[in-house]
């Protein structure tokens, strides 16, 4: 897309603030990334919708297209042209959910392009039909945040109303996965690329949680109840109920969302919180039959990202204990080397950490850690000027994905938040009362 002059000015102002707080190199990186996402990943269509590619893959993921837009939420209240773009993204997301609520990634039109032509789903509009709960939760949260930031209600048309109802009904169907018709089979000899039991997934018992076929990494779930996905869904249902009451005037939809959220949360409390080394922590996945996976993955929603993705539904004590567990060797996907330490993924090679996870660690951590991680990320981009999917903890020149827009966006959000930290300290220092000057009568020279 062509960047509007008002949008360019907003990005430059934000980048100048970063330059002043964190240095010219960081500010330049932020401005380049914010502009590149708008110019190189977004296509505006005549119907007012916006199609967003991930970077080096020509498809739109519902999760990625939300997280790629996260930094721009800071500017939309004062920049209507940018708000128009974000509203266009939501319109496209809602259109995709209405078309197929199981699809995680879609084509711009019915081109017939697929990640793998052998998949069961041959819908020409669907790039991939790996069912991930966040594909429903992120767009709902995003729409709610745009409304809260701008007051705009024009995106909540009849289609949006239908989609919000679909989200509630769909999550409820998958509370009892045996009722579901969804199947996913990809016969490529890689267990994480397909679902067991002829595409149904491993067995689960009803728990109140909603079933999920694949993780945010696009890898198959070991057990069907992914806990961060369920907590994220609960947060999205909170937003959905607010929209239903305040914007759509649909009390029944709001009540249904509230009821479903309560059932999911009860399931998480009963099955998704487990004892580990004398502390209560969130599991990563469970099946309601005794199966438990203790780990975390770099992709969000993750256990580490829950304070961002599900802040209003968390148990603070359990969240703190979970953070200690996943940011260390007890997490099988935590790696440490000479260049960096952080969380990686089964989706990439061993000993590779993800810039996304490093950004999330900073965004959910202290101001000091945020600043440290900005420097780590600058030093581990292999001189490309971009954030990658993953890099080796001992050799950052070994990385995956040359162009990964989601990672760029998360770096921008980290740098902008670190800039806020500096601004807050500066304002606080300026507002602090100055010590009274000693009078001549009390001077002690």
């Amino acid at each position: 897309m062509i960047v509007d002059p008002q949008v360019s000015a907003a990005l430059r102002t934000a980048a100048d603030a970063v330059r002043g707080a964190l240095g010219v190199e960081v500010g330049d990186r932020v401005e380049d990334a914010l502009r590149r996402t708008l110019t190189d990943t977004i296509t505006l269509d005549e119907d007012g919708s916006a199609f967003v590619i991930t970077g080096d893959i020509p498809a739109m993921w519902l999760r990625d297209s939300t997280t790629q837009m996260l930094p721009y939420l800071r500017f939309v209240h004062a920049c209507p042209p940018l708000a128009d773009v974000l509203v266009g993204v939501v319109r496209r997301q809602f259109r995709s959910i209405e078309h197929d609520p199981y699809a995680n990634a879609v084509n711009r039109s019915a081109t017939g392009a697929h990640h793998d032509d052998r998949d069961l789903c041959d819908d020409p509009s669907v790039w991939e039909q790996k069912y991930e709960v966040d594909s429903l939760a992120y767009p709902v949260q995003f729409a709610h945040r745009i409304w809260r930031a701008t007051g705009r209600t024009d995106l909540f048309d009849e289609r949006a109303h239908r989609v919000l109802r679909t989200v509630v009904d769909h999550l409820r169907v998958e509370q009892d996965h045996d009722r579901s018709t969804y199947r996913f089979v990809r016969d490529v000899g890689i267990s994480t690329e397909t679902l067991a039991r002829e595409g149904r997934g491993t067995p689960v018992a009803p728990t109140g949680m909603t079933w999920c076929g694949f993780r945010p990494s696009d890898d198959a779930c070991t057990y069907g109840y992914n806990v961060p996905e369920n907590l994220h869904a609960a947060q999205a249902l909170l937003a959905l109920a607010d929209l239903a009451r305040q914007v759509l005037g649909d009390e029944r939809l709001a009540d249904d969302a509230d009821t479903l959220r309560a059932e999911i949360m009860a399931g998480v409390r009963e099955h998704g919180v487990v004892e580990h080394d004398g502390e209560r922590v969130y599991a990563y996945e469970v099946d309601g039959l005794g199966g438990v996976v203790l780990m975390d993955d770099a992709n969000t929603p993750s256990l580490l990202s829950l304070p961002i993705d599900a802040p209003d539904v968390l148990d603070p004590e359990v969240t703190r204990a979970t953070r200690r567990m996943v940011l260390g060797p007890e997490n099988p996907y935590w790696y440490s080397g000479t260049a960096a330490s952080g969380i990686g993924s089964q989706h990439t090679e061993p000993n590779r950490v993800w810039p996304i996870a490093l950004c999330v660690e900073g965004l959910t951590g202290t101001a000091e850690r945020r600043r440290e991680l900005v420097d780590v990320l600058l030093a581990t981009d292999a001189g490309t000027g971009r954030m990658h999917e993953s890099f080796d903890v001992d050799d950052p020149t070994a990385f995956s994905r040359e162009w990964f827009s989601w990672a760029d966006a998360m770096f921008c959000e980290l740098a902008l938040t670190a800039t806020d930290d500096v601004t807050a300290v500066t304002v606080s220092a300026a507002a602090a009362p100055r010590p009274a000057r000693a009078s001549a009568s009390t001077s002690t020279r």
Side-chain angles (χ1 to χ4, degrees), residues 236-246 250 253-255 257-258 261:
L237 288 166
L238 195 64
L240 195 154
D242 193 30
L243 290 171
R245 288 194 176 94
Q246 302 298 326
D250 188 339
L253 176 58
D255 289 344
D258 285 338
R261 174 172 51 84

Side-chain angles (χ1 to χ4, degrees), residues 76-95:
V76 291
H77 69 284
C79 189
L82 185 57
D84 288 341
V85 174
L86 269 58
V87 166
V89 173
V90 173
R91 287 195 174 116
R92 177 58 68 110
Q93 291 173 331
F94 282 176
R95 191 172 92 187

Side-chain angles (χ1 to χ4, degrees), residues 412-430:
C412 291
E413 185 66 12
L414 177 66
L416 289 165
T417 302
T419 299
D420 292 342
D421 295 333
V422 174
T423 302
V425 170
T426 302
V427 170
S428 176

Side-chain angles (χ1 to χ4, degrees), residues 1-5 7-8 11 34-45 49-52 69 72 81-86 89:
M1 60 169 278
I2 298 173
V3 177
D4 180 276
V7 175
S8 291
L11 303 186
L34 289 175
R35 180 176 295 276
R36 182 167 57 243
T37 294
L38 294 179
T39 58
D40 295 359
T41 72
I42 299 177
T43 301
L44 300 178
D45 285 335
S49 69
F51 187 81
V52 187
M69 298 299 107
Y72 304 104
L82 185 57
D84 288 341
V85 174
L86 269 58
V89 173

